[in-house]
Amino acid sequence: MEYQEMELLKQSDKSTVYLVREKESGQMWVRKVLQGNHPVYLELLECRHPYLPRLYSVNMTDETTEVIEEYIEGESLQSGISPKEVFLIIRELCAVLEFLHGKGIIHRDIKPSNLLMANDGHIRLIDFDAARLYKENLEQDTRLLGTRGYAPPEQYGFAQTDERTDIYALGVTIRQLMGKTGQKPHYQRIIAKCTNLNPDKRYRSVSQVKRAFFSKKRNLCIAVAVFGIALAVLPGIAYWRNVAEEEGIVESMGEKVLPVPAEPHWDGETGIALWGHVLESGSGEDEEKYHWRLYRKDTAEEPEPDKDLYCCESNMSSNTQKDNLFYEMNLAEYFEENGYYYFTVSAVGDGVHYTDSDYAVSDIFEYTGESAPALSVPTGLAWKMEMDEQNGLSYYATWSNLDDYEDNDSFNICVYNQDGNYVMNNIWTKEYIVEQGFGGILVRPEFLTKAGGAYRFTVQVLTSRVNQYKSSPMPDPIPEEYFSPWFYP
C-alpha cells in the first residue's frame, strides 16, 4: 500500500499513530508504529468480527511492529450516552470479548476510551497494544501493561492474565457506563463479582457475565403457568450450560445432544411463542428447560442463530406438561419497535447426560403495536391466605381488577423483601387464576421464611393481544404505588 500521512493522531514513548490516506483509492487508514514485538496483531490479522477494526497489514521487525488498520469514524464512549445505548454497548462488548477469548486473545485494557461508537450505530473495540495471547503453564505475564483503575492485581505481576482479567475491566467499564442505573442491587451484584480481587471468585467467562446481566431476574427464577401449572424455582438454581461446557463435562461424560424443539411458532397475533416439548431437557426430575432468543428484523429475512444479533434472551423452566402438545412462553413484553420478529429456542441439558440442542427458528411475526395503548395497571393489590388440608397454609398475591383482562393475558408477580431484594416470581394466566378460584397467584411458603421478615409484591400484565395492547407498564425504578402492602408471615 502506498499512502500519504495526513495527521498525527497520538504519540508516546511506546507508539506513534497516524491517519493516512491510500494514494490510489483515497481510502483512509490508521497506521500504528509500536515499540517492540506485538505478535497478537498477527493473530488479529486473521480475525474478522463486526465489532473489531479490520487490519490490512502487520509488519514486525526486531524493534517495532507496524500495523495498518481500518479507520473508524465515530465517537469515544467517554462522553455521555443514553440508558438505551448502554445496554446495546454492553451486549456488543460481551460479544466481541467472547470472540477474542475464543481465539486465546486477552485485551488487557478494556475501558470506555477504547470503545468507539461507529457511525453505523455499533461499537468497535480498539487499541490492542497491551493485548497478549494466553499461554498454558505460565506463572505470570512477561510484560505488565494496562490502565490503573481497570487492571486487576494479576495484571501487575501476581499471576498470568487470562479471560478473568478482561472480566475485571469489563465490570469496571460497565459500572462507569451505567452510572446511577448500575447502583441497582441486581447490577451491583454482577459488577461486584466481575471486580472481585480474587480471580477465582469472578465469573469464569464473558458468556456467564452476559447471561447474568441480560437474563431478567423474573425469568431466571420463573414459575410458568401459561399452561395453568405453576412452578417457582429457587433463584440460585437457574441453570446455565457454561459450568458443564467450561469444565469439560461434555467430553468426559460423553453426553448426548438433546433433540431440537419441534415446530417453534407464534400463536397467531398473541405474542405467545410455542414449541414442541423435549422431555429429556432440564434436570431430569419432571422438569423441562429451554433457552430462547428474540430477533427483530426490518425485513422478512430469517435470522441465523449463530451470527445475527438478538434483542434479548433468557432461560425458561417448568414442570413437564405431558398433557399439552406445546410448551408456551409469552414474549409480549419484549416487543418494542415495529418490525418482523422471530424467536429461536434450544433445549437445555443437565450437563451430565445431555448437552444443549441446536437452536430451532420460529416462523415470522409482524409486530405493528409500537404505538398501541398499554393495558391498565393492576389495582387493589393485597395478600390472601388460604388453609388447605393437604398442603397447609398457602399465600396468594391478588388484585381487584382481574375482570379487566382477557383469559390469555398473563400476570407476572414479583416478590421483594424488606431490604428491597428480589425474592421470587410466578406467572399465571387469567384463565388459570379463575380455574384455581383463589383470585390471585400462589406464593409458595418456602420463599417467605425469614423470621420477622416483611414482603410485598408487584404485578405486571403480559398482553396476549400484542398488536392491540402493550403489556402494562412497570417503571424502573418501581414507584411505591405499584407495590402491595407489606405482609408479615
Side-chain angles (χ1 to χ4, degrees):
M1 174 193 293
E2 291 190 23
Y3 55 81
Q4 177 184 2
E5 291 181 357
M6 304 297 294
E7 183 182 351
L8 177 64
L9 298 177
K10 177 183 176 182
Q11 188 168 27
S12 69
D13 58 347
K14 296 178 180 178
S15 66
T16 305
V17 184
Y18 300 94
L19 178 65
V20 300
R21 180 167 61 87
E22 187 178 0
K23 290 184 177 180
E24 183 175 344
S25 66
Q27 184 174 354
M28 306 300 287
W29 297 84
V30 172
R31 175 177 176 258
K32 305 173 71 171
V33 181
L34 311 172
Q35 298 300 312
N37 294 134
H38 295 262
V40 70
Y41 278 104
L42 292 174
E43 184 73 21
L44 288 168
L45 187 63
E46 304 301 321
C47 295
R48 292 287 186 270
H49 192 277
Y51 307 143
L52 292 176
R54 181 166 59 91
L55 300 193
Y56 177 82
S57 67
V58 177
N59 295 300
M60 292 177 56
T61 68
D62 292 339
E63 298 179 352
T64 63
T65 301
E66 181 191 61
V67 179
I68 304 295
E69 69 177 39
E70 179 184 10
Y71 171 63
I72 306 295
E73 294 188 23
E75 297 292 333
S76 168
L77 293 184
Q78 295 185 85
S79 55
I81 51 180
S82 69
K84 184 177 181 180
E85 289 177 315
V86 167
F87 289 97
L88 173 65
I89 290 164
I90 294 171
R91 184 185 296 279
E92 292 184 349
L93 178 55
C94 287
V96 70
L97 286 176
E98 284 182 289
F99 173 79
L100 291 169
H101 292 170
K103 302 288 185 180
I105 298 172
I106 313 301
H107 188 278
R108 298 204 305 168
D109 203 14
I110 303 297
K111 56 185 178 181
S113 60
N114 281 338
L115 297 170
L116 292 180
M117 178 59 75
N119 290 346
D120 63 3
H122 298 285
I123 68 163
R124 300 296 190 277
L125 176 60
I126 62 171
D127 196 350
F128 283 77
D129 298 357
R132 63 178 293 272
L133 296 168
Y134 181 78
K135 298 178 181 178
E136 293 287 347
N137 303 319
L138 187 65
E139 291 186 0
Q140 66 181 52
D141 294 355
T142 55
R143 298 170 67 239
L144 308 180
L145 299 172
T147 301
R148 288 193 178 277
Y150 295 88
E154 65 267 23
Q155 207 158 328
Y156 293 100
F158 292 95
Q160 181 185 189
T161 52
D162 57 19
E163 297 176 16
R164 296 168 298 177
T165 302
D166 281 347
I167 288 171
Y168 182 98
L170 173 62
V172 178
T173 299
I174 287 174
R175 180 192 294 132
Q176 289 206 351
L177 293 177
M178 294 193 74
K180 292 183 178 180
T181 305
Q183 297 175 10
K184 295 178 181 178
H186 175 58
Y187 300 132
Q188 282 185 330
R189 286 192 292 271
I190 296 171
I191 292 169
K193 188 173 178 66
C194 287
T195 57
N196 196 298
L197 294 180
N198 183 349
D200 291 334
K201 294 184 178 180
R202 294 177 209 150
Y203 293 103
R204 293 190 298 276
S205 70
V206 175
S207 63
Q208 286 186 329
V209 179
K210 184 175 68 175
R211 286 171 173 173
F213 192 88
F214 288 103
S215 297
K216 296 186 178 182
K217 288 179 286 184
R218 59 176 171 269
N219 286 330
L220 288 175
C221 167
I222 197 149
V224 182
V226 286
F227 295 120
I229 302 294
L231 170 67
V233 185
L234 291 173
I237 64 170
Y239 173 83
W240 299 117
R241 182 188 178 191
N242 56 299
V243 174
E245 193 173 53
E246 292 174 13
E247 295 184 0
I249 295 176
V250 172
E251 292 185 8
S252 63
M253 298 300 292
E255 294 174 90
K256 297 179 181 178
V257 178
L258 285 172
V260 175
E263 298 183 55
H265 64 281
W266 297 101
D267 184 13
E269 296 188 0
T270 62
I272 295 173
L274 302 168
W275 59 83
H277 296 277
V278 179
L279 301 180
E280 304 93 335
S281 65
S283 66
E285 298 176 359
D286 197 34
E287 177 193 57
E288 298 177 53
K289 283 190 177 181
Y290 303 94
H291 191 81
W292 59 265
R293 293 172 175 172
L294 183 67
Y295 298 78
R296 180 198 167 277
K297 295 280 190 175
D298 289 321
T299 63
E301 177 187 3
E302 184 174 296
E304 296 184 54
D306 296 329
K307 295 182 179 180
D308 288 356
L309 295 174
Y310 43 86
C311 307
C312 54
E313 64 174 343
S314 190
N315 267 22
M316 287 294 296
S317 303
S318 171
N319 282 335
T320 299
Q321 304 298 317
K322 297 179 181 178
D323 296 333
N324 297 281
L325 184 59
F326 292 104
Y327 194 97
E328 197 168 335
M329 167 67 182
N330 190 324
L331 298 179
E333 63 175 315
Y334 303 106
F335 290 96
E336 294 182 355
E337 300 179 35
N338 288 342
Y340 298 96
Y341 284 81
Y342 293 85
F343 69 88
T344 61
V345 60
S346 166
V348 176
D350 59 6
V352 178
H353 305 95
Y354 292 98
T355 188
D356 300 359
S357 76
D358 291 334
Y359 281 94
V361 182
S362 74
D363 58 359
I364 192 170
F365 175 72
E366 184 176 4
Y367 176 60
T368 59
E370 182 179 335
S371 300
L375 290 174
S376 59
V377 175
T379 58
L381 277 59
W383 289 91
K384 181 178 181 179
M385 292 183 290
E386 291 286 339
M387 181 61 71
D388 184 281
E389 291 184 0
Q390 182 177 359
N391 300 316
L393 191 61
S394 296
Y395 306 96
Y396 291 86
T398 70
W399 52 100
S400 61
N401 60 334
L402 181 63
D403 291 340
D404 292 348
Y405 309 102
E406 297 290 327
D407 283 351
N408 285 331
D409 292 340
S410 301
F411 298 85
N412 180 28
I413 62 112
C414 289
V415 178
Y416 301 85
N417 64 18
Q418 60 194 13
D419 297 322
N421 295 324
Y422 164 87
V423 175
M424 59 81 68
N425 77 300
N426 202 344
I427 299 178
W428 286 8
T429 61
K430 176 186 173 180
E431 182 178 29
Y432 186 67
I433 292 171
V434 173
E435 285 179 4
Q436 293 302 295
F438 297 115
I441 295 178
L442 177 70
V443 178
R444 284 172 37 181
E446 57 263 37
F447 289 102
L448 311 178
T449 56
K450 185 177 179 180
Y455 301 87
R456 57 181 182 170
F457 67 86
T458 61
V459 185
Q460 184 181 23
V461 191
L462 308 181
T463 180
S464 62
R465 296 155 286 165
V466 68
N467 281 334
Q468 296 176 284
Y469 295 96
K470 294 180 180 178
S471 298
S472 70
M474 184 56 67
D476 188 6
I478 304 173
E480 282 296 315
E481 59 267 25
Y482 278 64
F483 285 97
S484 71
W486 287 104
F487 174 58
Y488 300 86

